[in-house]
Amino acid sequence: MATAHPTTNKKVALVVGASRGIGRQVAIDLAANGYAVVVASKSYDKAPFAGRFPPDPNSNQSTINTVEREIREAGGEATALRVDTSDPVSVEQVVAQTVQKYGRLDAVIYNAGAIWWAPVKDTPLKRFMLMQRVNAEGLYGIVQAALPHLKTRDRAASPPKQGGRIVVVSPPIYSRFFRGKTAYAMGKVAMSVLTKGLAMDFEREGLADEMAITSIWPAAAIESAATDQFTRKDPKMANDLRKPTIFSDAILAMLGAPARAVNGQLELDEDFLRRHAGVDDFSKYSVVPGTTPRRIMPAVLPDLTVREQDDEGQRINLADEVKGKL
């Protein structure tokens, strides 16, 4: 698909998994802060939304179409594009359609995810395979399709087109995370490995002054469609929830930070805002005013580096060998 001429004077962000909850909030807040946003997810309206608007942001009535409408009615710029992250063709198409529409791509936020928290014996192989396709493989496909456009620089563009940013919703790597949800953790940790590995690629390619990939994960539970099923049974559980605005605020701060400060980092929303945005009062994010939601993540996370971190030995790139034989 050929690239069209630019249709916006804004930076362009592709938010994958933006139909409801956290992803919806991220898309809305990016638009409010000057981005043209592609709202992408599998859920969409087959007919124009006819209910009370806007719909409950954590309900099935919230789709990429209603999020696009919310952004437009608030004066922002948005386009809804359907994507099935388990389908490689669909993944390639959503990136191509984004560039076709806007002529550029500056940021990718990957929030899509399949969830199944259960022990190995209670996790069917088909469920495991679905999680890998949506989580790790979907992310890999989006990143690989987006990289050529994120790497494109154009100083004469308005605004100038610099190296792009990628933000991945995936956790820090530590052993407690695996407990009781091994199959899910395998895919989510793989996403964090991609963050670490691609960041090293940027360093080796001399791109780390402008390009960055960063992972983000909540320090305390965030209100979403997943938490609604629990708070309906026990309303007191809302005392431990934060609003999704903490996540979008952290992502905006990441996108605005120097690339080298965030490249390859596995961050927690609260901790990042405290260190990089000077936030020390998080009360405004509490779903229930006056409460202090319980932190679900460790206060100190392990350092994954080793003493020989910079010793690569002999570099090997099998792709180069294959090219040489063609």
Side-chain angles (χ1 to χ4, degrees):
M1 185 179 291
T3 301
H5 64 277
T7 61
T8 183
N9 59 356
K10 299 178 178 181
K11 289 185 176 181
V12 176
L14 169 60
V15 184
V16 182
S19 60
R20 61 181 65 92
I22 292 172
R24 167 196 165 274
Q25 190 68 55
V26 170
I28 286 175
D29 287 348
L30 282 170
N33 282 271
Y35 282 83
V37 179
V38 173
V39 185
S41 189
K42 191 175 181 180
S43 63
Y44 72 107
D45 286 335
K46 295 180 181 179
F49 181 76
R52 182 177 178 180
F53 193 84
D56 179 346
N58 295 319
S59 72
N60 290 335
Q61 288 185 311
S62 183
T63 68
I64 55 174
N65 307 92
T66 62
V67 176
E68 176 193 39
R69 180 180 162 187
E70 284 189 77
I71 290 172
R72 289 184 179 276
E73 290 189 359
E77 189 170 352
T79 299
L81 293 177
R82 189 168 185 255
V83 62
D84 180 354
T85 55
S86 68
D87 179 358
V89 174
S90 180
V91 164
E92 292 178 1
Q93 286 178 341
V94 77
V95 174
Q97 290 168 344
T98 297
V99 178
Q100 175 71 11
K101 168 70 177 178
Y102 290 112
R104 60 187 291 159
L105 180 59
D106 299 274
V108 172
I109 291 84
Y110 194 86
N111 178 61
I115 301 174
W116 180 262
W117 284 18
V120 172
K121 67 180 180 63
D122 296 325
T123 304
L125 178 59
K126 287 186 177 180
R127 177 74 67 171
F128 169 81
M129 294 172 67
L130 173 64
M131 284 193 288
Q132 309 321 304
R133 287 199 303 272
V134 172
N135 297 342
E137 293 177 24
L139 169 64
Y140 193 92
I142 287 286
V143 167
Q144 195 161 69
L147 273 177
H149 308 290
L150 293 170
K151 289 181 177 180
T152 301
R153 297 181 177 91
D154 184 356
R155 304 298 188 190
S158 179
K161 177 71 171 65
Q162 300 177 332
R165 300 293 183 91
I166 303 169
V167 178
V168 181
V169 179
S170 67
I173 302 173
Y174 66 104
S175 62
R176 195 187 74 180
F177 187 80
F178 316 150
R179 184 181 298 143
K181 51 183 184 294
T182 301
Y184 173 74
M186 289 172 69
K188 297 305 289 188
V189 168
M191 296 167 73
S192 298
V193 171
L194 176 58
T195 293
K196 285 292 188 182
L198 182 56
M200 293 177 186
D201 288 349
F202 291 161
E203 286 280 357
R204 296 170 79 186
E205 295 167 17
L207 300 173
D209 285 330
E210 288 190 352
M211 294 192 68
I213 178 170
T214 316
S215 282
I216 183 172
W217 198 251
I222 294 178
E223 184 181 38
S224 67
T227 62
D228 273 1
Q229 60 183 310
F230 301 111
T231 54
R232 282 196 300 268
K233 295 177 182 177
D234 182 3
K236 290 183 180 179
M237 294 187 71
N239 292 340
D240 282 329
L241 297 179
R242 280 180 170 157
K243 300 173 184 178
T245 47
I246 189 172
F247 224 64
S248 57
D249 283 354
I251 288 174
L252 281 163
M254 286 176 178
L255 295 177
R260 286 192 176 275
V262 294
N263 189 37
Q265 299 302 306
L266 309 179
E267 295 284 358
L268 299 176
D269 53 4
E270 175 186 329
D271 297 351
F272 185 83
L273 285 170
R274 183 179 288 109
R275 292 197 315 273
H276 292 271
V279 179
D280 55 16
D281 181 2
F282 294 87
S283 60
K284 68 177 181 178
Y285 298 118
S286 297
V287 169
V288 179
T291 60
T292 302
R294 170 183 173 270
R295 185 181 174 102
I296 60 175
M297 298 298 287
V300 179
L301 293 159
D303 181 356
L304 301 178
T305 60
V306 295
R307 186 176 60 183
E308 300 85 0
Q309 187 73 12
D310 296 327
D311 182 5
E312 288 195 60
Q314 182 177 351
R315 287 192 181 185
I316 297 175
N317 186 339
L318 295 180
D320 290 340
E321 295 186 21
V322 172
K323 291 176 185 177
K325 295 178 181 178
L326 297 178

